[in-house]
C-alpha cells in the first residue's frame, strides 16, 4: 500500500478495540525481579501485598506468565468514552523538518485528565469497587494521575483521597480544583495528617515535597483505614499491563495500513506509557518475530536510566513500601522542582529496567529548555499543545528525524504523545520569559542518594 494513502489520523472502530491487555512479562526471558518485603527482604507474598492493593491487582502484579488478561466489559465501556485514541501521521512536522522519515504519534491527551493515566485509573478503581471497598488513596505529582483517578472514582462511586506534592498543590490550583470537581479529597504533601508526613516535615521544614514522600503518606492512610486500599499511577507491573491498550491499539492501526515502525520512542517517568506503547512490539522482538529500536527519554534533571544504578530500592521516601529492583537515583534523591512534574520519580518500572539492562532498549536524557523548544515547534505545526512530559518524546523523535534527513534515511518513527499541556502554562510562561533553567544534578548528589540504598 502506498504511503500517500495513510490518512492524517487513523482511528479504529470500536469493534477493533483490544478485548484483553497484553502482559509483556509472559514473554521476557529474564523476568523482572520480585518486590521484596522491606523487613524480611523476602519476595512479597500475595497476602502481604493485599494489605496495600486490592486482590485482583495483586494477582496481576505477581503474574509473570499469563500473556493476556481479559478487559472487563465495564472497563471497556468506560474506555469507549475516550478511546480508541488516534494514531496521527505527523505530515506537517515532517514537512517542517524536511525529513524523509515518516513520523507517527499515538495521542493519549483526548480526555479531561489530559493524559494516558486514565487507562489504568479506571482499571484500578474498577477492581477496588468490585472487591466492595469504600475508597482508595494515592499520591499525585503534577496532578494528572490524581485527576484521572478522581474521574474514575466518581464514575464508579468510590471515595478518592489524593496526597498532592505540595509545590504542585500550590503552583497548580487548576488541577487541584478539577480533582475537587470529581469529588476527590486533596491534601498537600507532606502533611501533618500522617506519621510519615509529620516526620518528613520535622526533618525538612518548608519542603515542597516529592512523589516518594506523597506515596508514603497515601500508603499509610490506606493501610490504616478500614475499607481502603492504595493505588499507584505508574511504575508497577499492573499499570504497565493496563497501559498496553496504547500499544495494542497502535499495532492494530499500523497493521491495517501495513506500517512497521523502525524506532519507537516514549518519555519515561515511572515507565507506564512507554511500557504500554512498546508492549506488543517488544513482545515481537522478544519472540524473535521482528526487530525495533526502543528509546526511553528522561529529563536530565531526573536521569534514572542514564545515571542511576540497577539495584533494589524503596519506591518512596518514607521507606514503607516494598523494595523494587530498578534503575534508581536513590529514594532520597529529590529532583529539582522543574516542570516535568510527571517525570520526577527517582526510580523506574522493574519491567523496563530489566529490558534496559538486557540491552533490549536504549535511553537518552534531554534538557528542559530543549524540550520546550521542541514542544513549541510541534504545537505550531501539529496544532496540539503538548504536555511537558510528552515533549521529551517529541524532542527525541525530532532529533531522530533530523538524523534521518542528514543520513538520507527513510525510517518510520513512532512516539507516544501522552498528554496535553493546558495545565502547564506557567512552565511555558517561564520558558517564554527566558527564566527556565536546565538543572542537572551533580554526580555527588546522586552518589549521596545511592549510598543510602538498602543493602540487598
Ligand atoms: C505521568 C505522565 C507521564 C509519565 O509517566 P509514565 O508512567 O512514565 O508514563 C508522561 N506524560 C504525561 C502526560 C503524564 O501525565
Amino acid at each position: 500500500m502506498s504511503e500517500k494513502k495513510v490518512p492524517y489520523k487513523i482511528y479504529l472502530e470500536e469493534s477493533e478495540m483490544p478485548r484483553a491487555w497484553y502482559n509483556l512479562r509472559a514473554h521476557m526471558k529474564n523476568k523482572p525481579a520480585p518486590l521484596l518485603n522491606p523487613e524480611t527482604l523476602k519476595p512479597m507474598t500475595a497476602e502481604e501485598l493485599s494489605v496495600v492493593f486490592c486482590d485482583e491487582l495483586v494477582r496481576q502484579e505477581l503474574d509473570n506468565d499469563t500473556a493476556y488478561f481479559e478487559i472487563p466489559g465495564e472497563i471497556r465501556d468506560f474506555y469507549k468514552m475516550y478511546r480508541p485514541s488516534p494514531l496521527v501521521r505527523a505530515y506537517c512536522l515532517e514537512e517542517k523538518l524536511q525529513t524523509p522519515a515518516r513520523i507517527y504519534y499515538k495521542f493519549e491527551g483526548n480526555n479531561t485528565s489530559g493524559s494516558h493515566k486514565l487507562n489504568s485509573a479506571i482499571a484500578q478503581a474498577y477492581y477496588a469497587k468490585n472487591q466492595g471497598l469504600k475508597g482508595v488513596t494515592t499520591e499525585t505529582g503534577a496532578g494528572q494521575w490524581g485527576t484521572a483517578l478522581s474521574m474514575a472514582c466518581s464514575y464508579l462511586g468510590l471515595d478518592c483521597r489524593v496526597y498532592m506534592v505540595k509545590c504542585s498543590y500550590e503552583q497548580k490550583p487548576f488541577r487541584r480544583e478539577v480533582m475537587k470537581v470529581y469529588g476527590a479529597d486533596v491534601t498537600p504533601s507532606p502533611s501533618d495528617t500522617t506519621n510519615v508526613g509529620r516526620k518528613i516535615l520535622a526533618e525538612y521544614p518548608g519542603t515542597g515535597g516529592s512523589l516518594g514522600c506523597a506515596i508514603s503518606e497515601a500508603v499509610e492512610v490506606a493501610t490504616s483505614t478500614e475499607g481502603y486500599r492504595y493505588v499507584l499511577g505508574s511504575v508497577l507491573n499492573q499499570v504497565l499491563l493496563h497501559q498496553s491498550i496504547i500499544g495494542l491499539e497502535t499495532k492494530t492501526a499500523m497493521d491495517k495500513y501495513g506500517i512497521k515502525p523502525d524506532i519507537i520512542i516514549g518519555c519515561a517517568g515511572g515507565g507506564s506509557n512507554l511500557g504500554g506503547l512498546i508492549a506488543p512490539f517488544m513482545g515481537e522482538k522478544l519472540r524473535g518475530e521482528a526487530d525495533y529500536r526502543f528509546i526511553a527519554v528522561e529529563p536530565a534533571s531526573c536521569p534514572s536510566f542514564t545515571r542511576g544504578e540497577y539495584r533494589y530500592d524503596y519506591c518512596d521516601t518514607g521507606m514503607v513500601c516494598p523494595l523494587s529492583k530498578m534503575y534508581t537515583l536513590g529514594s532520597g534523591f529529590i529532583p529539582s522542582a522543574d516542570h516535568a512534574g510527571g517525570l520526577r520519580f527517582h526510580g523506574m518500572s522493574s519491567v523496563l529496567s530489566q529490558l534496559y539492562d538486557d540491552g533490549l532498549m536504549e535511553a537518552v536524557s534531554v534538557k528542559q529548555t530543549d524540550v520546550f523548544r521542541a514542544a513549541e515547534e510541534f504545537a505550531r505545526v501539529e496544532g496540539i499543545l503538548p504536555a511537558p512530559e510528552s515533549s521529551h518524546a517529541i524532542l527525541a523523535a525530532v532529533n531522530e528525524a533530523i538524523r534521518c534527513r542528514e543520513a538520507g534515511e527513510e525510517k518510520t518513527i513512532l512516539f507516544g504523545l501522552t498528554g496535553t499541556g493546558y495545565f502547564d502554562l506557567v512552565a511555558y510562561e517561564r520558558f517564554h520569559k527566558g527564566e527556565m533553567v536546565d538543572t542537572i544534578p551533580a554526580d555527588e548528589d546522586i552518589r549521596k542518594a545511592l549510598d543510602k540504598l538498602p543493602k540487598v
Side-chain angles (χ1 to χ4, degrees), residues 36-38 215-216 219 230 313-316 318-323:
L36 299 186
N37 181 315
I215 294 175
S216 306
V219 170
Y230 168 72
D313 191 10
Y314 297 97
C315 291
D316 62 325
M319 305 180 190
V320 297
C321 289
L323 299 173

Side-chain angles (χ1 to χ4, degrees), residues 114-117 144 233-235 267-274 342-343 387 389-390 418-419:
S115 82
H116 65 287
K117 293 201 170 67
Q144 288 98 319
S234 183
V235 187
C267 62
S272 73
N273 87 82
L274 178 63
L343 304 181
E389 293 90 349
S390 324
T418 51

